Amino acid sequence: VPELPEVETVRRTLAPIVGIQIRSVWTSGKGLHMARKPPRAALRALVGSRIEALRRHGKYLLIDTSTPRSILFHLGMSGRLRVQEAREPRVPHTHVVIGLGARELRYVDPRRFGQCDVFERAAPHDHDGLALLGRDPLVDGVDGRELHAAARARHVTLKALVLDQRVLAGMGNIYASEALWRARLRPAMRSSRLSAIAATRLAAAIREVLDRALVHNGTSLRDFVDADGAEGSNADYLWVYGRAGEACPRCKNAIRRAVHQGRATFYCPTCQPP
Ligand SMILES: [Zn+2]
């Protein structure tokens, strides 16, 4: 499942399409996330405009055009965005194709949990996905005091706090485990017990794990590849995620795996005391 660093990696590799004119739009007509179909008419209305910028908020990739409207992609579980030569055959499960002259931006999604939409740039909150998002840890930074306030206001585990998209947009399962290990905080700890000093430590750890993942172009656990088709290498550099039974990189005791709300969590029982 692509998380924030993977989507940021895709954004960066798509940079060559900035400045290019949209010449055509094709959609498969199949529904994606929540059976919602990519809005064919709204996408076609962008033909003739230029791609002016590529932005990201959390896991949403935003393509600004020279009109007041932007295109939004969310990769869901298995979505991929690739820039390919128009003459290359389309692979199965291609759902959206944006023609850019000799090349095409193609959205491929076998499991169809992703999203493609068009929204008014001046009113991102009108889009139900964007409306819920908190600050983006890379674009807006992570503020220890805000994190502390959010923690105190909630009665959830630290793991759930970090995963709450209203608190931090784009944090997912892998980097939540990594950041809590880095900050020496037990994932199952109640957020209301988080001290101001620990919140500052957690904020710094979140930023560090995301920066670290970006250096390695994201994590290739299942089928993540960037827009050029290259796999990320970050899985080799993870401290605890997916490493149950292996030695903690800090204290050498065995890393444990627990399941919270149906999702795996990895932590060191020694470095992250209850
Ligand atoms: Zn340890």
Side-chain angles (χ1 to χ4, degrees), residues 1-2 77-78 80 111 173-174 219-225 231 235 241 263:
V1 179
M77 306 280 284
S78 58
R80 291 181 186 187
R111 298 182 66 182
N173 210 35
I174 298 169
T219 303
S220 288
L221 289 180
R222 280 183 210 93
D223 54 3
F224 167 73
V225 287
E231 287 189 5
Y241 190 87
R263 305 184 73 191

Side-chain angles (χ1 to χ4, degrees), residues 121-135:
R121 201 150 53 245
H125 289 87
D126 289 351
H127 186 273
D128 53 8
L130 297 177
L132 295 173
L133 297 183
R135 60 159 76 210

Side-chain angles (χ1 to χ4, degrees), residues 181 248-253 268-272:
W181 176 84
C248 165
R250 207 158 35 204
C251 74
K252 310 302 174 201
N253 284 314
C268 170
T270 313
C271 295
Q272 296 165 268

